[in-house]
Amino acid sequence: MARTPVSLLLNATYEPLCVVSSRRAVVLVLTEKAVPVEEGDGCFHSVTAAVPVPSVVRLTRFVRVPYRAQVPLTRKAVFARDGGRCAYCGATATSVDHVIPRSRGGLHSWDNVVASCARCNHTKADRAITELGWRLRTVPRAPTGVAWRVLGSRPPDPRWQSYLDGAEAATA
């Protein structure tokens, strides 16, 4: 299945805002609401013109945008945070598991949800890991940073890295 081409949208101050479709990025450039910063792959063609697809576009006017305090907790984001590996044994993860089971008062929150392989998830069932003598490979935490806020669990285009790194340094 082919991926829809996307572009990184920067504010007028070069702060990363979000990811938009390449079609939307081209429309922003054509309506002079944005300028291309980095070239992407391919072109959009019309009868009279060919417009290169930008990988990164910058808005011409500053836009004030309120940000979420936390990254939304989704299955895809948990797999991305944990690298697609089981938090208990390191095998390929196929499900998510609550470290403290919800039946025992555990919350559905970033610090209680981990990626798990089917075998460990089934074996653990509704027990605490201390009952089994297990330990977590890493302590689960909510993901932080500009890259998580802007990209979520989407892998970044290598051409975006300097804009995402620069934003991290500016907010630190």
Side-chain angles (χ1 to χ4, degrees), residues 126-163:
D126 67 343
R127 294 179 282 191
I129 57 175
T130 52
E131 293 175 31
L132 298 167
W134 291 4
R135 277 194 258 163
L136 290 169
R137 297 176 56 218
T138 57
V139 177
R141 289 191 174 89
T144 59
V146 173
W148 273 96
R149 190 187 72 232
V150 172
L151 302 175
S153 56
R154 172 185 288 125
D157 184 318
R159 295 173 283 210
W160 302 350
Q161 204 58 50
S162 61
Y163 303 100

Side-chain angles (χ1 to χ4, degrees), residues 6-18 20 22 25-26 28-30 33-41 51-61 157-164:
V6 291
S7 301
L8 178 65
L9 179 64
L10 305 175
N11 211 336
T13 57
Y14 286 87
E15 175 189 13
L17 291 178
C18 63
V20 296
S22 293
V26 168
L28 288 170
V29 169
L30 290 174
K33 293 180 181 177
V35 293
V37 178
E38 293 277 337
E39 284 191 27
D41 302 325
V51 180
V53 175
S55 174
V56 179
V57 293
R58 181 181 59 86
L59 294 174
T60 55
R61 302 179 88 193
D157 184 318
R159 295 173 283 210
W160 302 350
Q161 204 58 50
S162 61
Y163 303 100
L164 296 173

Side-chain angles (χ1 to χ4, degrees), residues 5-163:
V6 291
S7 301
L8 178 65
L9 179 64
L10 305 175
N11 211 336
T13 57
Y14 286 87
E15 175 189 13
L17 291 178
C18 63
V19 176
V20 296
S21 70
S22 293
R23 182 180 301 265
R24 176 74 178 135
V26 168
V27 169
L28 288 170
V29 169
L30 290 174
T31 57
E32 298 180 359
K33 293 180 181 177
V35 293
V37 178
E38 293 277 337
E39 284 191 27
D41 302 325
C43 285
F44 281 116
H45 297 277
S46 73
V47 175
T48 58
V51 180
V53 175
S55 174
V56 179
V57 293
R58 181 181 59 86
L59 294 174
T60 55
R61 302 179 88 193
F62 179 79
V63 176
R64 188 172 178 276
V65 180
Y67 292 110
R68 289 187 190 133
Q70 271 194 332
V71 176
L73 176 57
T74 64
R75 175 185 171 91
K76 189 174 180 181
V78 170
F79 284 144
R81 180 198 64 186
D82 294 349
R85 293 287 175 201
C86 178
Y88 306 117
C89 71
T92 302
T94 56
S95 62
V96 294
D97 183 54
H98 293 85
V99 179
I100 300 169
R102 295 193 70 184
S103 63
R104 295 188 177 193
L107 301 174
H108 185 67
S109 63
W110 276 109
D111 53 356
N112 192 43
V113 176
V114 294
S116 175
C117 67
R119 188 175 135 263
C120 288
N121 199 350
H122 182 70
T123 302
K124 182 178 168 288
D126 67 343
R127 294 179 282 191
I129 57 175
T130 52
E131 293 175 31
L132 298 167
W134 291 4
R135 277 194 258 163
L136 290 169
R137 297 176 56 218
T138 57
V139 177
R141 289 191 174 89
T144 59
V146 173
W148 273 96
R149 190 187 72 232
V150 172
L151 302 175
S153 56
R154 172 185 288 125
D157 184 318
R159 295 173 283 210
W160 302 350
Q161 204 58 50
S162 61
Y163 303 100

